[in-house]
Amino acid sequence: MNVKVRPQLLSLKAYTPGKSSEEVQREYNLEKIVKLASNENPYGTSPLVKEAISLNNFAIYPDGASTALRKEVAEYTGVKEDQLIFSSGLDELIEIISKALLDENFNTVMASGTFPQYRHNAVIQNAEIREVPLKNGRHDLPAMAKQIDDKTQVVWICNPNNPTGTYVDDKELEQFLQSIPSHVLVVMDEAYYEYVTAEDYPETIPLLDQYDNLMVLRTFSKAFGLASFRVGYGIGAASFIQQLEVVRLPFNTSVLAQNAALAALGDLEFVEKSVSLNAIELQKYYEFCKQHQIDYYPSQGNFIFISIPGKESAEVFQYLLERGYTVRPFPNGVRITVGTKEENEELFELIEKIVLIAH
Ligand SMILES: Cc1ncc(COP(=O)(O)O)c(C=O)c1O
């Protein structure tokens, strides 16, 4: 094969989804598989979504401007319609922003130990990547600010951070925004926004009036339970959003995705219920971890990062997998999506056994 991709792609791996639940179930002869690896909503989706997703004409393109959804999201978030851009999940919006802002002449600043798509897209764009280690699992904003220079185009702040669940608070963020030059786009990835309970978590939408270099990312994949449909959105200065629109594919969100998101917005009670159950279950995780001397970060998302002293995360992952629970392993711990009460109780029993082996 003489066709060659650009050299920077050679250092990247394509996303590998891992074994399907069916494969794992067959391999280990399991009655069921509980997927707690990708931070989906364990309570599913609002029943209104099912009613809303019938199509009567498959041959017609979707509304490329997402007009109806735009109106509802503008109302839900309290912004103007022209401040919004829609995407096929936030994965695509991260790609759009990277394409619009990054190439070999620029750099981008992010945490190391955060959502991997910021880095992945920066590599594709051949931009210089400046990664700043997390400090106690949290973004170190003063250290990130120090990495910024006149070639910096975008800073990524994952808030709450995936995989640690930690957050940047309102004071830290304001100090950071005041301290950096206005040519730098600050992306606040708030994929888990609806789950947040901390009182000093920054409300970023009001800050958009003050900082036109700020952009907020939200998704329907998590608390709204629509991960399979792929709908996310960004909020920013209207003039900047207009420029990003140039990069967006014309029909990037399908008719079904737009209709599903609209229906989900019509059932905020479902979201509230999911969020309050998540908070209750997270508390149980904290108590469980304390009781068993398991290290963890308090989380603002629907997941928790834990580390069992004396146990390799790959071993913990494999042990749970063979017993029907899929979680996400990292070098220094595992990230577990907070499941339903029953799922969590079963998982606690399994983890208790690992702890006993470890001690
Ligand atoms: C922090 C963060 N950002 C973005 C995404 C991508 O979400 P989406 O499903 O909207 O593409 C995820 C998904 O796990 C995430 O955790």
Side-chain angles (χ1 to χ4, degrees):
M1 176 74 168
N2 288 325
V3 179
K4 290 193 173 56
V5 296
R6 290 182 296 132
Q8 66 268 27
L9 302 198
L10 302 176
S11 69
L12 293 175
K13 273 205 236 126
Y15 179 75
T16 39
K19 287 180 192 162
S20 71
S21 296
E22 292 73 23
E23 275 177 287
V24 175
Q25 202 168 350
R26 240 180 287 123
E27 188 170 342
Y28 298 108
N29 202 13
L30 298 162
E31 267 173 44
K32 60 166 190 202
I33 278 281
V34 180
K35 185 168 182 267
L36 299 176
S38 303
N39 304 341
E40 291 124 335
N41 189 330
Y43 308 102
T45 311
S46 158
L48 297 190
V49 171
K50 220 170 199 174
E51 291 166 28
I53 53 164
S54 68
L55 262 188
N56 45 24
N57 194 341
F58 293 140
I60 304 299
Y61 283 109
D63 169 12
S66 305
T67 312
L69 181 59
R70 181 177 298 274
K71 189 164 171 289
E72 290 306 312
V73 171
E75 200 162 302
Y76 171 64
T77 53
V79 301
K80 297 202 183 80
E81 290 183 29
D82 61 2
Q83 288 183 271
L84 293 167
I85 181 168
F86 290 90
S87 59
S88 176
L90 288 184
D91 286 341
E92 191 204 16
L93 192 45
I94 294 164
E95 182 193 39
I96 291 173
I97 295 167
S98 304
K99 275 187 179 168
L101 293 179
L102 297 176
D103 68 19
E104 62 278 9
N105 299 308
F106 297 112
N107 70 65
T108 177
V109 177
M110 63 191 72
S112 61
T114 189
F115 189 58
Q117 288 300 313
Y118 319 138
R119 184 177 200 286
H120 187 89
N121 282 283
V123 173
I124 292 174
Q125 293 306 120
N126 212 12
E128 184 198 335
I129 298 164
R130 299 187 175 179
E131 285 178 299
V132 177
L134 297 175
K135 207 168 163 183
N136 301 323
R138 302 176 70 239
H139 279 69
D140 183 352
L141 292 189
M144 289 173 79
K146 282 198 190 126
Q147 290 298 318
I148 292 173
D149 60 21
D150 57 355
K151 296 278 171 52
T152 305
Q153 288 278 80
V154 52
V155 176
W156 305 90
I157 302 175
C158 190
N159 207 32
N161 186 46
N162 178 1
T164 52
T166 56
Y167 71 105
V168 160
D169 70 33
D170 45 12
K171 288 201 182 70
E172 287 174 298
L173 181 65
E174 283 239 44
Q175 266 170 16
F176 177 77
L177 290 170
Q178 280 163 15
S179 73
I180 62 160
S182 60
H183 72 270
V184 178
L185 181 75
V186 178
V187 175
M188 300 299 299
D189 181 343
E190 299 181 353
Y192 300 93
Y193 172 79
E194 287 79 8
Y195 286 109
V196 170
T197 53
E199 289 190 354
D200 57 352
Y201 176 85
E203 280 300 340
T204 44
I205 288 177
L207 293 176
L208 292 168
D209 292 336
Q210 217 176 320
Y211 301 98
D212 62 4
N213 58 327
L214 184 63
M215 184 157 181
V216 180
L217 272 43
R218 305 256 176 100
T219 182
F220 283 94
S221 295
K222 306 298 177 183
F224 285 94
L226 296 183
S228 65
F229 285 99
R230 317 302 301 126
V231 204
Y233 57 96
I235 314 168
S239 58
F240 180 64
I241 294 290
Q242 222 174 357
Q243 290 179 299
L244 287 184
E245 283 286 345
V246 174
V247 183
R248 182 179 69 79
L249 292 178
F251 304 111
N252 62 336
T253 54
S254 71
V255 178
L256 287 181
Q258 291 178 29
N259 289 347
L262 261 176
L265 273 175
D267 190 0
L268 294 181
E269 232 175 85
F270 170 81
V271 175
E272 279 160 29
K273 204 164 165 202
S274 302
V275 165
S276 66
L277 288 172
N278 181 67
I280 293 168
E281 293 303 311
L282 255 180
Q283 281 304 329
K284 293 186 194 163
Y285 264 95
Y286 300 159
E287 279 152 34
F288 174 80
C289 287
K290 280 183 205 146
Q291 200 186 337
H292 294 88
Q293 283 110 48
I294 293 171
D295 297 327
Y296 70 96
Y297 292 116
S299 173
Q300 294 297 317
N302 67 338
F303 56 90
I304 184 163
F305 190 92
I306 69 165
S307 167
I308 302 174
K311 274 278 148 195
E312 292 292 326
S313 56
E315 241 180 293
V316 176
F317 166 79
Q318 190 60 27
Y319 180 92
L320 295 176
L321 182 75
E322 289 174 16
R323 286 152 187 84
Y325 277 76
T326 61
V327 300
R328 186 62 57 100
F330 289 84
N332 53 344
V334 293
R335 189 196 67 202
I336 304 172
T337 305
V338 176
T340 62
K341 178 174 179 284
E342 294 71 27
E343 289 166 349
N344 299 333
E345 280 167 3
E346 274 184 31
L347 192 66
F348 290 165
E349 276 181 34
L350 291 174
I351 296 177
E352 240 162 22
K353 290 191 185 127
I354 310 176
V355 173
L356 279 178
I357 302 167
H359 282 242

